[in-house]
Amino acid sequence: MSALAVRWTQHHPRIFLVLAALLWWGLYQTLQPLSEVVVAALPVDRQSHLGATLQFFLYDTPKVLLLLTGIVFVMGVINTYFTPERTRALLAGRREGLANVMAALLGIVTPFCSCSAVPLFIGFLQAGVPLGVTFSFLIAAPMVNEVALTLLFGMLGWKIALLYLGLGLSVAIVAGLIIGKLNMEPYLEDWVRDIPRAEAQFTAVEVDFGERLAAGFQSVRDIVGKVWPYILAGIAIGAGIHGYVPQDFMASFMGKSAWWSVPLAVVLGVPMYTNAAGIIPVVQALLDKGAAVGTVLAFMMSVIALSLPEMVILRKVLKVRLIAAFIGIVATGILIVGYVFNWVL
């Protein structure tokens, strides 16, 4: 962020926000025609496999990065109202049921990544948040996050984004309720159970609007700075599928008629390590080639919510039986989501 932008943010935050929004919208509107102009200037046939691949890559790369930058900035501002301390305070002492719903909803707007899974998990339990409620948050935060919803809306439309939101939240809420009813606290690691409980406290701190905008810019630097390699890799894979895979090829083993495609997609997604920004361009390309919506979204959800690296991290605080129960319950929910999507769409 330049010194001029810093001064504008501090002294005229609302004017700066309006001008930035107009600039963002203007850039977004130029992406499609600009990508066509660039491809037309290259020594390739636009109708060839290579031409289609290049157009997909040159259009989707700035589109995804621009969408991601915009939503991460907005959520960075919103997150100044929902710190981890405030989230714990909001959930502590709540009864299961309503608390599971609140935890899943807070997961959408609360910053989360695999590396923060253990400290968040410990902090929630230490504050007296029930185990099932904690899992509702940990499932929703990576799976139904602002990045996934924004990119789904931008690439696949609002209907799929809303369906994903509703069904993803349902998986998080129901899985948390089931884990809570199973009374699986004995399967926490011993040192976690022995942590003394502490009252969840939250002290409100006055933050002016300029500081909130600065937090939004910091979120862009932190998040976009980390995920852009995954974005480029995902778009490159999607571009290759878009340009070289024959139309309707994916329908043969990822279509609605193949009942086994949804569980296969879930199994294939677990060992992968990426995030929503990296996997959604692949999802878009698979859909263009005839794959069923439910199948590819089940694949996406398993990649995000059941990634092997996150399970390895959670093994520090959970015994194997609880991890197995968590995987089984969430995977079952994702399977149901996949079949519902294939049935509805």
Side-chain angles (χ1 to χ4, degrees):
M1 190 174 176
S2 67
L4 178 61
V6 171
R7 288 196 296 271
W8 263 95
T9 303
Q10 292 174 343
H11 300 296
H12 308 284
R14 288 171 176 78
I15 295 175
F16 180 86
L17 186 61
V18 171
L19 293 176
L22 291 174
L23 176 62
W24 185 94
W25 181 251
L27 288 173
Y28 190 81
Q29 294 302 307
T30 66
L31 295 181
Q32 179 70 43
L34 184 60
S35 67
E36 293 289 353
V37 169
V38 173
V39 173
L42 297 174
V44 296
D45 181 3
R46 174 63 180 84
Q47 304 304 317
S48 67
H49 294 304
L50 180 58
T53 299
L54 289 173
Q55 199 281 329
F56 184 100
F57 185 83
L58 292 173
Y59 172 58
D60 273 48
T61 298
K63 177 182 176 181
V64 170
L65 289 173
L66 203 55
L67 282 169
L68 188 61
T69 298
I71 193 60
V72 167
F73 174 79
V74 172
M75 295 309 299
V77 174
I78 293 174
N79 287 335
T80 61
Y81 298 93
F82 293 96
T83 62
E85 293 77 16
R86 186 170 191 174
T87 301
R88 288 197 294 269
L90 286 170
L91 295 177
R94 303 277 183 178
R95 297 181 61 182
E96 290 184 300
L98 176 61
N100 291 89
V101 175
M102 288 181 60
L105 291 172
L106 285 169
I108 300 174
V109 298
T110 304
F112 178 88
C113 63
S114 296
C115 59
S116 63
V118 168
L120 272 173
F121 190 91
I122 294 172
F124 276 35
L125 294 181
Q126 190 176 24
V129 178
L131 182 63
V133 176
T134 299
F135 269 108
S136 285
F137 179 86
L138 291 180
I139 295 167
M143 185 168 65
V144 195
N145 61 67
E146 70 275 14
V147 174
L149 293 175
T150 302
L151 296 184
L152 281 172
F153 172 77
M155 302 179 111
L156 303 176
W158 64 269
K159 291 183 180 179
I160 290 180
L162 283 180
L163 271 174
Y164 183 85
L165 171 63
L167 294 174
L169 285 175
S170 298
V171 169
I173 293 166
V174 173
L177 285 170
I178 293 173
I179 290 173
K181 294 297 182 184
L182 291 177
N183 297 317
M184 302 198 74
E185 285 79 3
Y187 300 103
L188 295 168
E189 287 292 344
D190 296 339
W191 69 271
V192 177
R193 293 203 312 272
D194 294 338
I195 293 176
R197 297 296 182 257
E199 183 180 352
Q201 296 180 343
F202 168 71
T203 303
V205 178
E206 283 295 324
V207 181
D208 64 40
F209 195 62
E211 291 174 319
R212 296 191 192 281
L213 292 187
F217 283 112
Q218 186 61 47
S219 293
V220 171
R221 285 193 291 268
D222 292 342
I223 297 176
V224 179
K226 288 179 182 177
V227 305
W228 71 264
Y230 299 103
I231 294 174
L232 293 183
I235 294 174
I237 294 170
I241 295 172
H242 179 81
Y244 288 93
V245 174
Q247 191 68 29
D248 295 331
F249 172 76
M250 291 294 173
S252 60
F253 60 93
M254 293 188 75
K256 293 182 180 180
S257 60
W259 67 265
W260 42 264
S261 65
V262 176
L264 178 62
V266 173
V267 171
L268 291 175
V270 171
M272 296 186 64
Y273 181 56
T274 186
N275 46 45
I279 201 66
I280 288 178
V282 178
V283 167
Q284 181 189 23
L286 292 174
L287 291 174
D288 289 344
K289 296 302 177 179
V293 173
T295 303
V296 294
L297 291 184
F299 171 70
M300 170 184 159
M301 294 174 85
S302 66
V303 170
I304 299 172
L306 293 175
S307 68
L308 187 59
E310 185 180 341
M311 298 304 109
V312 172
I313 293 172
L314 286 175
R315 179 64 184 88
K316 298 176 182 178
V317 293
L318 309 180
K319 294 182 178 179
V320 172
R321 185 165 180 176
L322 182 49
I323 290 179
F326 167 63
I327 293 174
I329 293 168
V330 175
T332 300
I334 292 174
L335 286 173
I336 294 171
V337 167
Y339 284 119
V340 168
F341 263 104
N342 283 348
W343 174 63
V344 171
L345 299 177

